[in-house]
């Protein structure tokens, strides 16, 4: 593929709730851009972007797949992300490195639970977005209702720049409010044939009204357009596009488009909008980082002439060598080049560089600022690490992942399988930062943890099929946590006299419960050098590591603030070990004196059932300690929204199918940790 100038490059992702049509849309993009000669279908297991065996078997996206394609004078680097909450880490790391995103909404389902999660993730990274309302050919679809839900539920400012031409089974195409043109698709010929038609006379009043509203909303966010509007100057197509682009890139508005990916309608207009309104790498601010050894901000402009700055955002294990996906923010990278990993303080070798197309690859000799590529040869680089030049070091902000909420034991069936199991677990852990592996010191069991039942089931199946590991997997367990019952001030001394130098460490630490300090917040209030700085770091490490094991059930402590108030040191006998030991003992005493409270993960749940099964579904949820927050109706289906402890939701998929004769469905995502009722504490621990 011929390399385009940076202004013509778009790094975008497609994200949404499960079953909104993300992968189907990706397949159409690949077909219309000439990247694929045949459209793959999710239901048939032939989708290019869903290449993993587990994806094809389940009909869902599990891992974010990257590809590059060309549309008119654009080069588009595209990442298709999962919609299931168990694989939300894939969305998180993709949005961290993308310049823009297409958020897909089902024309019938509207803004669903995972849509909200994806939107919050995009907000966190200030990613400009387009909305694509999909499936408008389906019965019950309503474009304007979805636009209103985006406004109400997501707190966004949606601005329709298209409206549907026809409705439900009569959906024919799109009416473009910017150009004041209607586009109708002819027949079912893969959507390649469409033509300009007259805007139906009965739609003309609505079209004019919507266009006026579009200009008003954009003018509210773009000062120069507002001045033109107030002076009643003629506003042409070029001015409208320029203003929409400016407001979109600044994340003040979200343009809304419409179509039906499955029926091949509206995809070409969406691709045009990607070029017109989403940013190139030149339109986003220069990347900022820190120096590993110095204070202050380090800035890299988007340029090939700047020193190298690249973020490793994804690792994929491969029989030919691990693939490390890189977002190039500045500089250039060549095959055979040695680079510096500023997080690990190690030199790495770039053996080969590839442009990826799902699971196939195209070797290139170099990558430059703005590119998204995969490299082979990196041994110690992990997700979130920064690659740079040793003489021009920079440390970019890493990707932040959610905590795991579920775990299970895994054991090799024979001693010979043990090495294979450890190898497979290490490979999967390197790929997936939300996959945890640890040894239970009391039982000697290996414990794996993840984001949900489906997450662990997929990883277990990959171990069996890809790595041929013969292992026994236990039932899922809930990842409980603990917190302190009250605030307590602890003074602890560690004094040990020996024949030579002794040991002396003295700390005074205030431990108190607090909110949103996961896992433990440490603060230093020492003034005047009562404890020298090197020893304060030892105290912080002791607090962090000791709180990983609780007292009530051996669970990690969370929502605790530890403030180092005072202490003393000895000029000869004090050491890191002495202060570490004193602080570790202080943590143990704090839990004993303040008491610990057991916490359980609570999930945000949305259950969809036909009206006739509503009573049974509510009764079942109440029996699972659910707190029902809202009852809604959407397209004739009742929606139950609430919060339920994770421990009560094991096997719920089977129970719901039984209750509703297979017609019910649900999705859930982590919400918060809450205190376990006293009568349940014994069974939980």
């Amino acid at each position: 593929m011929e390399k385009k100038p940076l202004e013509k490059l778009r790094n975008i992702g497609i994200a949404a709730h499960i079953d909104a049509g993300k992968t189907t849309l990706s397949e159409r993009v690949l077909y219309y851009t000439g990247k694929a000669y045949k459209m793959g279908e999710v239901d048939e297991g032939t989708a290019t972007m869903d290449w993993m065996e587990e994806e094809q078997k389940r009909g869902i996206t599990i891992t974010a797949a990257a590809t590059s394609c060309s549309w008119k004078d654009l080069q588009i680097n595209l990442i298709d992300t999962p919609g299931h909450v168990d694989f939300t880490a894939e969305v998180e790391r993709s949005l961290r490195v993308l310049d823009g995103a297409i958020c897909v909404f089902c024309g019938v389902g509207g803004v669903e639970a995972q849509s909200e999660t994806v939107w919050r993730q995009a907000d966190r990274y200030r990613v400009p977005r387009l909305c694509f309302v999909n499936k408008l050919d389906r019965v019950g679809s309503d474009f304007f209702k979805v636009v209103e839900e985006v406004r109400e539920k997501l707190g966004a400012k949606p601005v329709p720049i298209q409206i549907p031409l026809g409705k439900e089974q009569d959906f024919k195409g799109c009416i473009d409010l910017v150009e004041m043109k209607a586009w109708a698709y002819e027949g079912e010929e893969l959507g390649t044939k469409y033509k300009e038609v007259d805007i139906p006379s009965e739609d003309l009043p609505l079209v004019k009204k919507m266009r006026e509203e579009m200009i008003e909303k954009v003018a509210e966010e773009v000062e120069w357009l507002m001045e033109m509007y107030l002076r009643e100057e003629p506003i042409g197509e070029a001015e409208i596009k320029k203003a929409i682009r400016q407001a979109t890139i600044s994340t003040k508005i979200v343009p809304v488009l419409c179509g039906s990916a499955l029926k091949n309608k509206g995809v070409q207009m969406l691709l045009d909008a990607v070029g017109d309104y989403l940013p190139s790498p030149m339109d986003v601010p220069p990347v900022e980082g820190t120096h590993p050894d110095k204070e202050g901000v380090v800035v890299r402009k988007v340029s090939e002439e700047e020193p190298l700055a690249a973020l490793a955002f994804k690792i994929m294990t491969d029989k030919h060598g691990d693939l490390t996906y890189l977002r190039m923010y500045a500089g250039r990278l060549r095959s055979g080049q040695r680079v510096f990993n500023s997080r690990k303080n190690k030199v790495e070798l770039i053996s080969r560089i590839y442009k990826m197309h799902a699971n196939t690859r195209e070797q290139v000799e170099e990558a430059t600022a703005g590119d998204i590529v995969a490299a082979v040869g990196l041994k110690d680089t992990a997700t979130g690490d920064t690659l740079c030049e040793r003489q021009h070091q920079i440390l970019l902000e890493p990707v932040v992942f959610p905590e795991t909420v579920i775990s299970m034991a895994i054991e090799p069936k024979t001693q010979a399988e043990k090495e294979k199991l450890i190898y497979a677990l290490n490979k999967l852990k390197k790929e997936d930062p939300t996959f945890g592996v640890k040894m239970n010191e009391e039982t000697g069991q290996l414990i794996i943890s993840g984001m949900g039942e489906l997450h662990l089931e997929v990883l277990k199946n990959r171990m069996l099929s890809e790595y041929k590991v013969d292992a026994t997997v236990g039932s899922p367990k809930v990842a409980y946590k603990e917190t302190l019952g009250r605030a307590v001030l602890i003074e602890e001394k560690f004094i040990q006299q020996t024949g030579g130098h002794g040991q002396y460490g003295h700390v005074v630490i205030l431990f108190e419960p607090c909110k949103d300090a996961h896992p433990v917040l440490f603060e230093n209030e020492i003034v005047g050098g009562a404890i020298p700085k090197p020893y304060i770091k030892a105290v912080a490490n002791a607090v962090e590591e000791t709180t990983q094991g609780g007292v009530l059930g051996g669970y990690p402590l969370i929502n605790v603030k530890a403030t180092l108030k005072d202490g003393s040191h000895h000029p000869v006998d004090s050491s890191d070990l002495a202060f570490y030991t004193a602080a570790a003992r202080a943590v143990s005493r704090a839990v004993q004196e303040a008491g610990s409270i057991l916490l359980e993960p609570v999930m945000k749940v949305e259950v969809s059932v036909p009206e006739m099964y509503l009573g049974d579904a509510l009764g079942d949820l109440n029996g699972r300690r659910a707190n029902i927050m809202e009852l809604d109706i959407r397209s004739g289906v009742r929606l139950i929204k609430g919060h339920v402890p994770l421990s009560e939701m094991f096997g719920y998929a089977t129970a719901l199918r039984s209750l509703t004769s297979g017609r019910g469905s649900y999705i859930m995502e982590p919400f918060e940790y809450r205190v376990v009722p006293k009568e349940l504490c014994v069974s939980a621990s």
Side-chain angles (χ1 to χ4, degrees):
M1 183 188 299
E2 181 189 347
K3 196 170 180 68
K4 308 276 186 180
L6 275 175
E7 311 84 63
K8 299 298 181 183
L9 177 61
R10 300 290 183 272
N11 291 316
I12 65 167
I14 298 181
H17 182 89
I18 192 169
D19 285 338
K22 299 176 308 302
T23 302
T24 301
L25 177 60
S26 297
E27 293 301 315
R28 271 52 182 173
V29 168
L30 296 183
Y31 180 78
Y32 296 132
T33 58
K35 190 70 181 181
Y37 69 92
K38 180 178 179 290
M39 290 185 193
E41 299 296 346
V42 175
D43 295 341
E44 297 171 8
T46 58
T48 304
M49 303 299 270
D50 284 352
W51 56 272
M52 288 176 64
E53 182 184 338
E54 285 290 313
E55 293 177 316
Q56 293 170 351
K57 187 167 67 178
R58 298 172 185 274
I60 61 172
T61 302
I62 291 171
T63 184
T67 189
S68 293
C69 53
S70 295
W71 177 251
K72 296 182 179 176
D73 62 345
L74 291 179
Q75 179 189 333
I76 299 173
N77 291 331
L78 174 70
I79 296 182
D80 175 34
T81 64
H84 197 287
V85 67
D86 280 19
F87 309 105
T88 192
E90 293 289 321
V91 186
E92 187 79 35
R93 58 177 159 198
S94 298
L95 289 172
R96 166 68 179 82
V97 299
L98 291 170
D99 300 326
I102 300 170
C103 289
V104 184
F105 299 95
C106 172
V108 180
V111 176
E112 298 169 278
Q114 185 62 6
S115 309
E116 297 181 41
T117 303
V118 168
W119 199 269
R120 288 196 301 271
Q121 289 171 312
D123 279 342
R124 182 157 60 248
Y125 296 115
R126 290 188 58 80
V127 178
R129 276 145 277 176
L130 300 177
C131 290
F132 182 70
V133 182
N134 193 23
K135 302 187 179 183
L136 287 175
D137 59 306
R138 286 180 52 183
V139 175
S141 61
D142 189 333
F143 174 81
F144 298 101
K145 181 171 174 286
V146 176
V147 172
E148 195 54 39
E149 286 188 7
V150 170
R151 187 188 334 277
E152 291 177 358
K153 294 186 177 182
L154 304 179
K157 188 172 184 177
V159 178
I161 60 173
Q162 293 177 350
I163 61 173
L165 179 61
K167 191 174 181 182
E168 298 179 345
Q169 62 266 32
D170 295 323
F171 176 66
K172 301 182 187 68
C174 319
I175 299 173
D176 190 316
L177 300 177
V178 178
E179 299 182 359
M180 286 298 282
K181 292 177 181 177
W183 300 97
Y185 285 78
E186 298 179 333
E188 296 294 325
E189 273 197 57
L190 302 177
T192 53
K193 289 188 177 180
Y194 57 96
K195 64 178 180 179
E196 184 181 343
V197 297
D198 293 333
I199 298 172
S201 56
E202 63 271 20
D203 290 338
L204 211 48
L206 174 63
V207 171
K208 288 180 178 177
K209 175 175 172 287
M210 292 289 296
R211 189 175 198 270
E212 190 67 21
E213 287 181 5
M214 173 188 72
I215 294 172
E216 282 182 16
K217 287 175 183 174
V218 177
E220 286 170 6
E221 307 299 341
V222 180
E223 190 176 336
W224 60 263
L225 186 68
M226 177 61 81
E227 290 174 2
M228 290 182 69
Y229 183 74
L230 293 175
R231 290 198 298 263
E232 297 185 358
E233 294 179 16
I235 299 174
E237 178 188 321
E239 286 85 6
I240 295 173
K241 284 189 174 182
K242 181 182 176 184
I244 292 174
R245 178 179 179 79
Q246 182 178 324
T248 303
I249 291 173
S250 62
T251 68
K252 291 178 179 175
I253 68 164
V254 185
V256 186
L257 298 94
C258 59
S260 169
L262 186 63
K263 294 298 174 66
N264 316 311
K265 295 182 170 93
V267 180
Q268 294 95 331
M269 286 77 177
L270 178 62
L271 286 167
D272 287 339
V274 166
D276 289 338
Y277 307 123
L278 288 183
S280 74
M282 301 290 288
D283 297 314
V284 295
V287 68
E288 293 185 352
T290 56
H291 192 285
D293 305 317
K294 302 174 187 175
E295 293 187 0
V297 176
V298 181
V299 178
R300 290 280 191 276
K301 296 176 184 174
V302 183
S303 168
E304 298 176 13
E305 310 308 319
E306 286 274 296
L308 173 67
L311 182 73
F313 67 94
K314 180 180 171 70
I315 311 290
M316 284 290 291
T317 58
D318 187 270
K319 59 185 177 183
H320 302 299
D322 291 351
L323 283 168
T324 303
Y325 283 73
L326 302 171
R327 165 64 199 263
M328 295 286 297
Y329 285 102
R332 58 177 69 232
L333 196 62
R334 296 182 181 86
S335 296
Q337 181 177 342
R338 292 194 178 276
V339 295
F340 186 70
N341 183 328
S342 56
R343 192 170 299 278
K344 300 281 175 58
N345 196 29
K346 288 190 175 181
V347 175
E348 294 267 44
L349 173 67
I350 304 289
S351 297
R352 294 181 299 281
I353 303 172
Y354 295 103
K355 284 276 188 184
M356 298 302 297
H357 178 51
N359 64 326
T360 63
R361 56 183 79 172
E362 171 196 345
Q363 188 168 348
V364 294
E365 285 307 307
E366 73 168 12
T368 55
D371 285 343
I372 292 177
V373 294
V376 174
L378 300 165
K379 302 295 185 187
D380 298 303
T381 298
T383 300
D385 287 356
T386 303
L387 300 182
C388 58
E389 299 166 11
R390 187 190 282 273
Q391 61 271 35
H392 298 103
Q393 292 187 37
I394 185 172
L395 196 56
L396 300 175
E397 181 186 353
V399 192
V400 179
F401 296 104
E403 283 285 312
T404 57
V405 295
I406 188 171
S407 62
M408 59 173 65
I410 185 167
E411 293 180 359
K413 285 190 176 178
T414 65
Q415 191 63 29
E417 292 291 311
K418 189 171 184 179
E419 280 189 25
K420 285 168 66 177
L421 175 62
I422 297 297
Y423 175 79
L425 291 175
N426 286 335
K427 283 286 189 181
L428 292 171
K429 184 173 170 54
K430 191 173 182 182
E431 270 192 32
D432 187 349
T434 59
F435 177 51
V437 181
K438 68 176 181 179
M439 181 71 74
N440 186 317
E441 293 181 4
E442 293 180 9
T443 64
Q445 284 183 306
L446 266 175
I447 306 296
I448 59 174
S449 54
M451 297 302 298
E453 283 185 276
L454 179 60
H455 185 205
L456 288 184
E457 187 182 341
V458 166
L459 290 168
K460 177 190 76 175
N461 289 346
R462 287 188 63 193
M463 276 186 270
L464 299 175
S465 61
E466 291 179 31
Y467 297 98
K468 306 292 188 273
V469 176
D470 194 7
T472 303
V473 180
S475 301
K477 303 287 184 188
V478 174
Y480 290 97
K481 307 284 187 186
E482 297 178 36
T483 192
L484 292 182
R486 61 184 177 87
V488 60
L489 184 68
I490 302 292
E491 181 175 6
E492 184 69 41
K493 288 184 178 179
F494 176 65
I495 303 174
Q496 193 175 67
Q497 293 298 329
T498 60
H501 286 309
Q503 296 285 354
Y504 181 91
H506 172 215
V507 295
V508 179
I509 305 175
L510 173 64
F511 295 92
E512 53 191 329
C514 68
K515 293 225 173 196
D516 304 322
H518 189 79
V520 172
L521 179 66
F522 177 81
E523 283 193 5
N524 169 37
E525 290 187 358
I526 294 289
V527 291
I531 299 177
K533 276 189 178 180
Y535 301 147
I536 291 173
K537 188 173 182 182
V539 173
N541 289 340
V543 169
E544 180 184 342
E545 292 170 15
T546 310
T547 51
Q548 291 307 300
V551 172
L552 195 58
Y555 303 114
L557 283 171
I558 65 169
N559 298 344
V560 174
K561 182 180 178 183
T563 307
L564 181 59
K565 293 284 190 180
D566 201 0
S568 62
H569 73 286
H570 189 280
V572 176
D573 291 346
S574 286
S575 66
D576 286 349
L577 176 63
F579 276 95
Y580 185 99
T581 307
R585 289 181 176 181
V587 173
S588 300
R589 273 188 54 202
V591 176
Q592 290 169 9
E593 293 185 20
S596 64
I597 298 170
L598 191 63
L599 305 174
E600 64 180 342
V602 174
M603 311 300 283
K604 184 179 178 183
V605 178
E606 185 175 299
V607 183
S608 306
V609 295
E611 180 76 45
M612 68 181 80
Y613 301 112
L614 179 63
D616 291 338
L618 283 171
D620 182 71
L621 284 170
N622 286 328
R624 296 173 186 271
R625 295 193 284 135
N627 181 15
I628 306 300
M629 307 299 293
E630 183 183 347
L631 287 176
D632 199 359
I633 187 165
R634 185 183 291 157
S635 304
V637 175
R638 295 307 299 262
L639 295 182
I640 307 167
K641 299 179 182 180
H643 304 141
V644 190
L646 175 62
S647 60
E648 303 286 353
M649 292 301 286
F650 293 135
Y652 183 64
T654 304
L656 184 62
R657 277 196 297 269
S658 176
L659 281 173
T660 63
S661 302
R663 296 170 65 189
S665 63
Y666 80 103
I667 58 101
M668 70 179 182
E669 61 179 285
F671 178 61
E672 66 178 5
Y673 272 85
R674 285 184 185 165
V675 177
V676 178
K678 285 185 179 178
E679 63 272 17
L680 298 175
C681 280
V682 175
S683 60
S685 57

